[in-house]
Amino acid sequence: MFSIIQAAGWPIWPIILASIIAVGIIGERLWSLRIDKVSPRDLLPKVLQEFRRTGARTEMFTRLQEHSPLGSVLAAGLKNIDSSREVMKESIEEAGRVVVHELERYLTTLGTIASLSPLMGLFGTLIGMIDIFGAGTPTGSDPVQLAHGISVALYNAAFGILVAIPSMIFYRHFRAKVDALVLEMELQALKLVEVVHGERRV
């Protein structure tokens, strides 16, 4: 592997750095965007059960905010339980915007890497082409420099595409995952509002 990096020349290093960042983001988002961590399905029934038993208390709000993103949204609604349905929904929407921002963390960076990696590979290709054209001498072409230029051009193009493809796949996957999680949290929060205001039982 190190011999390939040497053959690819210095333009490969930004692509390697981008790949390391992309792998880190992908691993972190795979861990953070699990449904049982973001929007546990059993949380709302437990919250409603506790609310009916003891009412809305400050310690419940604190525990919910520390529990999960869905917990933060539900806590925002319960804090305004004595207000109108509209005020309760507005507080939930405000908390939801903060949660969505947290769920989308690093996704812009991952999308940028997916877009820029082929361009960095193309830049390396151009550097290789410059080396190839510079291989000409008055007595003919320098085969060593010619081979080096070809290696730089091909390896950088290949590595750029290799980094871009999984980065784009995971970027789109995470975007869809965030949208699904946000929809799930909206449904849970709406159910909380309707139950609290007596518009539905469960």
Side-chain angles (χ1 to χ4, degrees), residues 26-39 41 99-100 103-104 107 169-185:
I26 290 169
E28 191 275 339
R29 290 291 88 187
L30 283 172
W31 176 259
S32 299
L33 294 180
R34 294 171 296 144
I35 190 166
D36 59 334
K37 180 179 176 64
V38 176
S39 181
R41 298 186 186 279
V99 167
V100 170
L103 294 179
E104 292 179 342
L107 293 189
I169 290 172
F170 277 102
Y171 171 76
R172 292 187 178 277
H173 168 72
F174 290 140
R175 292 295 309 182
K177 188 78 175 288
V178 168
D179 290 342
L181 289 170
V182 169
L183 177 60
E184 176 68 21
M185 287 190 291

Side-chain angles (χ1 to χ4, degrees), residues 137-160:
T137 64
T139 58
S141 297
D142 181 357
V144 175
Q145 188 175 352
L146 184 63
H148 176 70
I150 293 172
S151 296
V152 171
L154 295 180
Y155 280 130
N156 278 277
F159 270 84

